[in-house]
Amino acid sequence: MSQTAELLQRANSVLIGNYARLPIVMNRGEGSRVWDTDGKEYIDLFAGFGGCVLGHCHPALIEAATQQAHKLWHVGNVFHTEP
């Protein structure tokens, strides 16, 4: 069984099917490109939720996220946070 098939089988056994997912397991990203667990390269044209429209693994974004993670990672929408 391939790594992708194994990961998909594992995910399907524990995740609720409230989102239709493609049978692809993304492994890493750089800029506008992403690679799946089989090494196939894609151009990421899906901004989705959050900051992916900014690209993957940009050094300035990694530094900003790292600084924030040392301070406060996430709170619910009922709270305010500093910018």
Side-chain angles (χ1 to χ4, degrees):
M1 179 180 292
S2 74
Q3 182 179 6
T4 296
E6 185 177 324
L7 290 167
L8 290 173
Q9 183 180 41
R10 183 176 172 196
N12 291 333
S13 73
V14 297
L15 296 176
I16 297 172
N18 57 338
Y19 295 104
R21 293 176 188 252
L22 297 171
I24 300 169
V25 179
M26 292 302 174
N27 180 260
R28 68 182 185 92
E30 182 180 323
S32 62
R33 298 174 301 151
V34 290
W35 289 264
D36 68 15
T37 51
D38 293 327
K40 185 174 179 182
E41 181 179 344
Y42 301 83
I43 296 174
D44 187 357
L45 299 174
F46 179 70
F49 304 101
C52 288
V53 72
L54 302 173
H56 297 274
C57 300
H58 189 283
L61 296 176
I62 292 171
E63 177 62 26
T66 300
Q67 286 181 17
Q68 185 60 43
H70 284 290
K71 182 177 178 182
L72 178 68
W73 189 247
H74 174 76
V75 297
N77 294 339
V78 299
F79 300 101
H80 294 275
T81 59
E82 293 178 305

